[in-house]
Amino acid sequence: MCIGVDTSESHDALAEADACSLAEVAIRQGFEPPTLLLGSAATRTRVRTQLSQAAATCEPGDLFMLTFSGHGGEGGVWLLYDGSLRDAEMRAALAAFRPGVRVLVISDSCNGGVPAARPDTSLSEVGASVLVLAACSSDQLADAPGTPTHFTTALLETWHRDSIVTYRGFYQMIAAGMPEHQQPNYFQVGLRDPQFESQPPFTI
């Protein structure tokens, strides 16, 4: 599922374009055609319903990819079309996925994205294995000067340019091409799956 929400002040639909670009990556990698929720379609109800349906459908060994491009807030918040989706709500949605399911979250928003990085991940109620690539840390903004959606741009350029072995290697290559004031983050939520982490990105 790929979500893109631009604000009414945006002159260009950059976040929505990023969501479409990430959906294209998923299709090229052999995923089922992703659900695209853009602009007014990205409501709290639709996002939560789609997550619930994905959790009910995914079997152990499956890979579910979830991306968000748009504005975020402190404490782990995605600003959807009609309100916020918070860290606690996302963790509740992720907790519905079965153990053995792999979930890849790409969060291009300010303040570290959703789900948020926490020191207590070992105590998480999430039974699936979730890897998160976030646009920045919890105390940073996801906007390079004059270049909104900088993270997704760097991610896509790295994906198309380099031979990538693991998710951590992918993150390190992306981080190397981004400025100090916006360094991406990489962390795990739920059950740790070393095999998942060692796979090339977007491997089904």
Side-chain angles (χ1 to χ4, degrees):
M1 177 166 64
C2 298
I3 307 165
V5 184
D6 288 287
T7 66
S8 58
E9 294 83 11
S10 300
H11 298 292
D12 300 298
L14 297 172
E16 294 177 25
D18 281 349
C20 292
S21 295
L22 290 168
E24 290 173 3
V25 170
I27 292 170
R28 285 197 298 271
Q29 289 300 111
F31 285 75
E32 293 183 7
T35 299
L36 265 174
L37 296 179
L38 305 177
S40 60
T43 63
R44 282 175 43 81
T45 296
R46 285 190 179 179
V47 169
R48 295 174 71 178
T49 297
Q50 290 295 327
L51 284 171
S52 178
Q53 291 177 353
T57 301
C58 287
E59 299 287 345
D62 287 347
L63 173 61
F64 177 66
M65 176 172 150
L66 171 64
T67 77
F68 175 78
S69 301
H71 286 281
E74 293 183 3
V77 173
W78 284 348
L79 298 180
L80 301 177
Y81 182 74
D82 61 346
S84 300
L85 184 74
R86 299 184 177 277
D87 176 66
E89 294 176 294
M90 176 57 73
R91 287 175 184 268
L94 292 173
F97 285 84
R98 297 177 178 91
V101 174
R102 296 168 296 153
V103 181
L104 172 64
V105 180
I106 297 174
S107 184
D108 193 347
S109 59
C110 295
N111 301 110
V114 173
R118 285 187 186 175
D120 62 344
T121 52
S122 62
L123 303 177
S124 174
E125 69 281 5
V126 178
S129 299
V130 184
L131 290 182
V132 183
L133 287 168
C136 59
S137 64
S138 61
D139 60 349
Q140 291 182 328
L141 300 179
D143 296 299
T147 315
T149 69
H150 190 121
F151 172 66
T152 299
T153 299
L155 182 152
L156 293 171
E157 288 178 350
T158 302
W159 171 250
H160 291 303
R161 182 187 65 234
D162 295 315
S163 177
I164 304 160
V165 179
T166 67
Y167 279 101
R168 183 169 290 279
F170 188 35
Y171 154 72
Q172 291 170 340
M173 290 177 184
I174 297 168
M178 295 187 67
E180 284 297 321
H181 65 263
Q182 187 190 337
Q183 278 292 291
N185 202 359
Y186 169 96
F187 56 94
Q188 173 264 341
V189 174
L191 295 181
R192 187 166 191 127
D193 183 348
Q195 185 176 359
F196 180 20
E197 295 184 84
S198 67
Q199 292 171 339
F202 312 115
T203 297
I204 296 175

